[in-house]
Amino acid sequence: MKEISCKLLVLGAGPGGYVAAIRAGQLGVNTVIVEKAKAGGTCLNVGCIPSKALIHAADEYHRLRAAASGKSPLGLSLSAPAIDLRRTIAWKDGIVGRLNGGVTGLLKKAGVKAVIGEGRFVDGKTVDVETETGLQRIRAEAIVIATGSAPVELPDLPFGGSVISSTQALALTDVPQTLAVIGGGYIGLELGTALAKLGSKVTVLEALDRILPQYDADLSKPVMKRLGELGVEVFTRTAAKRLSADRRGLLAEENGRAFEVPAEKVLVTVGRRPVTDGWGLEEIDLDRSGRFIRIDDQCRTSMRGVYAIGDVTGEPMLAHRAMAQGEMVAEIVAGHKRSWDKRCIPAVCFTDPEIVGAGLSPEEARAAGIDVKIGQFPFQANGRAMTTLSEDGFVRVIARADNHLVLGIQAVGHGVSELSATFALAIEMGARLEDIAGTIHAHPTQSEAFQEAAFKTLGHALHI
């Protein structure tokens, strides 16, 4: 058995893991990273990046179809468009490949040693990795667990055949005629919307009383409206049961009423689970918080020298959260003083229209007993939104009533994901309504709606 020693061992080369390894390498820490597949993890290979590529392709195709219908308000017209999904997927795979190679190159540039294989804890300082050339034992002063998450499977609808996860949905080479989506959260609606634009007849089944339950109803209403325009049928308070006898449909139940949904493919998106099996974690017996590994404000676990970051530590399961944690842990291992003290972690839903949220929602602020002021500005009154046929949605600002400290910012609309950094920066820097209102926003841009929402909260909106 080959043995190597290092100061830091990172298990998993997803967004959190590879950032931790790169930053540690930059700081001169002798670092090894173990990954059983490709660098980049779920986000880069089968999640964030490929899904956004597919969403963009679907948007472009949908615009062409609208022009071909002769109903374009811009006066555009063309003959019937077509899509070769195999070429689309090849383009998507090319982007993933370029980014994957980029991560590999950055790890090498930082002096990080990469070991490909499946790792398993021997004890809190030792991991054995099964590689193609045999067993590799790695001894480390500190270990970071960054093993990520995986799609949750339903007992009566296990993955296989016509039942697919988001991973398989992103590898389809033909557009299914009919698609049933189980779960009306952000993953199901992002992919369901994209496939509806590509030509699928999509049906969404959600067990709760509305879609996107992680966002408040005001934010989800424009998305629900758009789903209707795209011909997507949504059933709430509905339970998916099993495939029909001929396996061409999905049996479901809504308030005691049984019915069947046509489904060439069934996309299951009911959540994700931490990947804690197969790594020998029972050998070190870390404290848990439910299904997740419990950590403190420095991402330390219950065992000295063992850290955990990203999805394996719980919600929110977001790549940028994992990246921030990875950077912090690398600096702690290098001897810097750091702790996790985030005022907000922005979250984006890439539906049509997009949703972005940072900080507290109105309900969360009130539940905390805070007296708040709320201002909202519609994109219907924003010139840039009008000129891009993107008038649905709004920007909303929540601030303390007493001192005007901004507590939360949300938006729903076309392209609002690009405002997420602006929203997060305002909250992180402790902005007050007057700071946002006093900042000159370029005209004509959608960002002006942010300033106008602050004006509205202060009681003197200018353009409504």
Side-chain angles (χ1 to χ4, degrees):
M1 180 188 297
K2 297 180 181 178
E3 287 196 20
I4 57 175
S5 297
C6 60
K7 183 169 184 177
L8 176 64
L9 170 61
V10 180
L11 298 177
Y18 80 69
V19 165
I22 289 171
R23 183 63 182 133
Q26 291 174 342
L27 293 169
V29 176
N30 180 14
T31 304
V32 175
I33 191 166
V34 172
E35 172 57 52
K36 64 180 179 181
K38 293 181 179 180
T42 293
C43 179
L44 194 159
N45 293 292
V46 292
C48 315
I49 299 300
S51 66
K52 304 316 167 278
L54 183 65
I55 288 168
H56 176 69
D59 286 344
E60 293 296 301
Y61 179 58
H62 187 70
R63 291 189 186 99
L64 293 177
R65 290 177 66 189
S69 71
K71 297 178 181 179
S72 170
L74 303 179
L76 303 176
S77 63
L78 71 162
S79 58
I83 186 167
D84 181 345
L85 193 57
R86 292 179 184 272
R87 287 182 61 187
T88 306
I89 296 302
W91 166 74
K92 177 265 294 181
D93 290 343
I95 293 172
V96 170
R98 285 165 56 196
L99 290 172
N100 181 269
V103 171
T104 301
L106 290 169
L107 288 167
K108 185 176 181 179
K109 180 182 177 182
V112 177
K113 178 178 176 58
V115 177
I116 305 302
E118 294 197 28
R120 187 173 183 84
F121 276 96
V122 176
D123 55 44
K125 299 290 184 184
T126 311
V127 171
D128 284 348
V129 183
E130 190 65 52
T131 71
E132 289 184 353
T133 58
L135 200 61
Q136 173 89 68
R137 175 158 288 184
I138 304 172
R139 300 186 187 277
E141 294 178 30
I143 297 177
V144 176
I145 301 171
T147 51
S149 63
V152 170
E153 204 170 29
L154 292 174
D156 294 328
L157 288 162
F159 295 131
S162 63
V163 181
I164 61 175
S165 70
S166 57
T167 299
Q168 286 82 53
L170 291 168
L172 292 171
T173 53
D174 294 296
V175 178
Q177 289 187 348
T178 54
L179 173 73
V181 179
I182 303 175
Y186 72 95
I187 296 175
L189 293 187
E190 286 181 4
L191 294 176
T193 299
L195 286 164
K197 290 179 177 179
L198 292 173
S200 286
K201 176 63 181 77
V202 176
T203 304
V204 176
L205 308 179
E206 169 57 49
L208 299 179
D209 58 1
R210 64 181 180 86
I211 61 169
L212 298 172
Q214 62 270 60
Y215 297 96
D216 66 67
D218 288 341
L219 292 168
S220 62
K221 283 176 183 176
V223 177
M224 188 67 181
K225 175 189 172 187
R226 182 59 172 152
L227 290 172
E229 294 170 351
L230 293 171
V232 176
E233 195 168 9
V234 177
F235 292 91
T236 55
R237 297 180 179 176
T238 300
K241 296 298 184 181
R242 60 187 180 280
L243 293 177
S244 60
D246 61 6
R247 307 185 74 81
R248 296 180 181 177
L250 175 66
L251 301 181
E253 187 175 295
E254 179 191 31
N255 294 325
R257 178 182 70 90
F259 65 102
E260 182 176 333
V261 176
E264 182 183 334
K265 296 289 184 183
V266 176
L267 172 59
V268 178
T269 59
V270 294
R272 297 183 65 84
R273 58 175 178 80
V275 177
T276 52
D277 296 331
W279 291 87
L281 291 181
E282 63 275 7
E283 299 296 333
I284 55 176
D285 192 27
L286 300 177
D287 287 352
R288 302 294 179 96
S289 178
R291 300 176 299 164
F292 303 100
I293 297 174
R294 185 174 63 80
I295 56 172
D296 66 7
D297 64 353
Q298 292 184 311
C299 292
R300 296 177 298 189
T301 70
S302 56
M303 178 171 282
R304 181 176 296 179
V306 179
Y307 301 81
I309 61 175
D311 289 4
V312 79
T313 66
E315 297 288 353
M317 290 187 177
L318 298 170
H320 43 283
R321 170 180 176 261
M323 290 177 170
Q325 289 176 320
E327 178 199 15
M328 177 189 71
V329 169
E331 295 191 355
I332 290 171
V333 171
H336 297 201
K337 291 184 178 180
R338 287 289 306 274
S339 63
W340 183 253
D341 181 21
K342 295 295 176 186
R343 293 192 180 206
C344 76
I345 302 173
V348 178
C349 181
F350 290 87
T351 44
D352 181 6
E354 295 175 349
I355 298 175
V356 58
L360 300 180
S361 69
E363 292 77 11
E364 289 170 335
R366 293 183 183 118
I370 304 171
D371 187 18
V372 296
K373 297 171 69 73
I374 300 172
Q376 185 169 303
F377 187 83
F379 282 120
Q380 286 180 330
N382 176 267
R384 179 58 176 164
M386 293 179 186
T387 62
T388 57
L389 302 176
S390 308
E391 296 182 38
D392 283 344
F394 57 84
V395 176
R396 181 176 66 197
V397 176
I398 301 102
R400 291 183 63 103
D402 55 359
N403 61 10
H404 296 178
L405 179 69
V406 176
L407 303 175
I409 311 162
Q410 296 88 37
V412 55
H414 174 74
V416 295
S417 59
E418 296 303 325
L419 295 176
S420 60
T422 300
F423 295 170
L425 184 64
I427 295 173
E428 281 287 344
M429 295 191 72
R432 300 177 189 270
L433 291 172
E434 290 80 2
D435 296 319
I436 298 168
T439 299
I440 298 174
H441 288 64
H443 176 78
T445 65
Q446 284 183 268
S447 67
E448 289 176 277
F450 183 31
Q451 182 184 34
E452 288 282 359
F455 282 146
K456 181 71 181 295
T457 314
L458 289 167
H460 54 85
L462 295 176
H463 289 92
I464 51 172

